[in-house]
Amino acid sequence: MTDAQNYPMPTESKEVLNSNLPPPYPHGETQVDSMPPYMPPPYSAAPAMYPPSPYPPVLYPPQAGVDMGTLPPGECNPLGEPGSSSPEADAALLVSSFDDKTIRKAFIRKVFSVVTLQLLVTFSIVCVFTFSSVVRAAVQSNIWIYLSSYILFAVVAISLSYSNSFSRSHPWNLVGLSVVTLTLSYLVGTVASFHDTTAVVIAMGATVAISFTIIIFSAQTRVDFTICNGILLVLAVDLLMFSFFCSFFYSNVLQIVYGSLGALLFSLFLAIDCQLVMGRQKYALDPEEYVFAALILYLDIINIFLYLLIIMGGSSK
């Protein structure tokens, strides 16, 4: 038997405990049932920051034939979710574009370096043929060398232009380009020997200025001249017919007009060929065709010089 059973609780303690208990509920009622129902407070809507749009929402259907999950690397679909790409694919794309730009820049440097060397050789020979009276007399008295140089120039230049195996085979392409440069330099020097020294110097200076301006303009402009080859072909045929009629009705005015039209035509050809070399427009040359690119730029500049000589010859008379 425990101590609590041996010693019963006093009566006074029981009365104190019973007085602290809450009063009993009436029969059939509970405290929850007697509480009033919950009433939410009145809702006071805050003023809207933006007025509602009077237009109904527009749902755009998905485009036919477009797979949102197979977009090219680095692009996003119209919903703003990136396409299925991997870091390896993005890195390969960046390396490829970098290699293309690097190859194109090296191609441009090589082409313009070769053209600069060609022009230095040509204008040096022109100066010798113009300033030296002995060389001038020897050149003017040996026309057969002029004709032989013209035939050799035509054969090699046509071969470089239309034979890919010849224009891309190293070092024979450089040998052919050297032959073209030397023969054409002799031809231009022979033509310049029949003009005044002052006219030749002015024509050379004007050629350098015009060529440099056209090259800078072609590199900076967004106008695509490469799509105008057909128009320039028609203009070239018109110029050829004009020169044919000028041979029957010769005058100094017609000579100046003919020279001006020819210089303008080959200036346009130079702009087109520069854009073909730089590769920033619709059409471009292959980086392996640096010999052909140097050839066409060189021929454009030399033709500008020859037509300027025609203008100077007509004005001096």
Side-chain angles (χ1 to χ4, degrees):
M1 184 177 292
T2 61
D3 295 339
Q5 293 177 352
N6 293 331
Y7 300 97
M9 183 178 295
T11 306
E12 297 178 357
S13 299
K14 292 182 179 180
E15 293 177 356
V16 172
L17 292 174
N18 292 331
S19 62
N20 294 330
L21 295 175
Y25 295 106
H27 180 71
E29 295 183 1
T30 60
Q31 187 177 4
V32 177
D33 296 336
S34 62
M35 292 180 63
Y38 173 75
M39 298 295 294
Y43 176 74
S44 59
M49 184 176 298
Y50 300 101
S53 175
Y55 303 102
V58 180
L59 299 178
Y60 296 95
Q63 298 180 2
V66 177
D67 187 5
M68 294 301 183
T70 59
L71 292 176
E75 295 187 5
C76 295
N77 54 29
L79 300 179
E81 300 176 357
S84 60
S85 61
S86 60
E88 293 79 5
D90 294 339
L93 182 62
L94 291 175
V95 171
S96 177
S97 61
F98 177 76
D99 290 341
D100 292 341
K101 292 181 180 179
T102 304
I103 293 173
R104 178 60 61 177
K105 290 181 180 179
F107 170 70
I108 293 173
R109 287 195 298 266
K110 183 184 295 185
V111 169
F112 282 100
S113 299
V114 173
V115 172
T116 303
L117 183 61
Q118 288 177 289
L119 293 176
L120 288 176
V121 172
T122 300
F123 287 146
S124 299
I125 294 177
V126 168
C127 291
V128 172
F129 284 19
T130 303
F131 291 102
S132 177
S133 58
V134 177
V135 176
R136 175 185 295 183
V139 167
Q140 293 178 357
S141 60
N142 295 296
I143 302 299
W144 63 272
I145 301 179
Y146 177 86
L147 297 177
S148 302
S149 300
Y150 186 83
I151 295 173
L152 183 60
F153 160 75
V155 171
V156 179
I158 292 174
S159 300
L160 286 175
S161 301
Y162 293 98
S163 177
N164 291 330
S165 59
F166 181 40
S167 62
R168 296 187 179 186
S169 61
H170 185 80
W172 296 110
N173 52 359
L174 296 179
V175 173
L177 189 62
S178 301
V179 172
V180 169
T181 303
L182 294 176
T183 53
L184 187 57
S185 299
Y186 184 86
L187 296 175
V188 175
T190 304
V191 173
S193 65
F194 290 92
H195 291 77
D196 296 334
T197 304
T198 305
V200 173
V201 173
I202 293 175
M204 283 194 296
T207 301
V208 173
I210 292 172
S211 302
F212 183 77
T213 304
I214 292 174
I215 291 172
I216 297 299
F217 174 75
S218 301
Q220 299 296 327
T221 185
R222 295 184 179 180
V223 180
D224 189 3
F225 289 102
T226 60
I227 61 177
C228 302
N229 281 323
I231 299 175
L232 293 187
L233 178 61
V234 174
L235 294 178
V237 174
D238 294 339
L239 182 64
L240 181 62
M241 297 303 298
F242 181 74
S243 64
F244 177 75
F245 288 111
C246 286
S247 61
F248 295 99
F249 306 97
Y250 177 78
S251 67
N252 295 335
V253 176
L254 288 179
Q255 182 177 351
I256 294 173
V257 172
Y258 172 69
S260 301
L261 293 177
L264 177 61
L265 177 64
F266 280 96
S267 297
L268 295 176
F269 273 118
L270 180 60
I272 292 176
D273 295 337
C274 286
Q275 289 189 345
L276 289 176
V277 171
M278 294 176 184
R280 299 174 58 185
Q281 304 297 336
K282 184 177 180 180
Y283 300 101
L285 291 176
D286 190 87
E288 296 182 1
E289 298 179 348
Y290 67 95
V291 172
F292 175 72
L295 175 64
I296 58 178
L297 292 179
Y298 173 67
L299 292 180
D300 292 337
I301 296 174
I302 293 301
N303 277 287
I304 292 174
F305 172 70
L306 292 176
Y307 280 104
L308 290 178
L309 275 182
I310 293 175
I311 297 174
M312 298 302 298
S315 61
S316 62
K317 296 178 182 179

